[in-house]
């Protein structure tokens, strides 16, 4: 079975000032999580029409975020 996936830009006309180093999508496919070279973790809402809007930026890491993982319940 062949599955096609549409490419999605995570920003509008101007790219963010941070460099994305890790990316993950939640199981419900409604949130994208990105980690950056500057140590930020960003949460993005993903609509069913594949429109992306920023949700939250988490600060506090002192090094680059190079890996993201989901926690088990």
């Amino acid at each position: 079975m062949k599955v096609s996936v549409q490419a999605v830009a995570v920003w509008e006309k101007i790219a963010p000032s941070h460099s994305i180093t890790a990316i993950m999508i939640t199981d419900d496919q409604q949130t994208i999580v990105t980690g950056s070279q500057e140590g930020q973790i960003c949460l993005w809402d993903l609509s069913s029409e594949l429109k992306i809007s920023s949700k939250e930026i988490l600060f506090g890491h002192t090094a680059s975020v190079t890996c993201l993982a989901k926690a088990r319940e």
Side-chain angles (χ1 to χ4, degrees):
M1 175 171 70
K2 185 176 181 180
V3 177
S4 90
V5 177
Q6 182 178 4
V8 177
V10 184
W11 53 83
E12 296 292 329
K13 294 180 181 183
I14 300 173
S17 60
H18 63 272
S19 303
I20 294 174
T21 52
I23 189 167
M24 180 185 78
I25 190 165
T26 57
D27 289 336
D28 63 6
Q29 298 182 348
Q30 294 182 356
T31 304
I32 295 174
V33 183
T34 59
S36 74
Q37 187 173 4
E38 294 75 19
Q40 301 164 350
I41 295 176
C42 301
L43 304 178
W44 308 83
D45 282 327
L46 178 61
S47 73
S48 57
E49 297 84 28
L50 298 179
K51 293 186 179 183
I52 298 172
S53 57
S54 61
K55 185 175 179 179
E56 293 182 65
I57 298 177
L58 309 174
F59 299 92
H61 288 85
T62 57
S64 176
V65 177
T66 59
C67 181
L68 295 167
K70 295 181 271 186
R72 292 186 179 181
E73 293 181 12

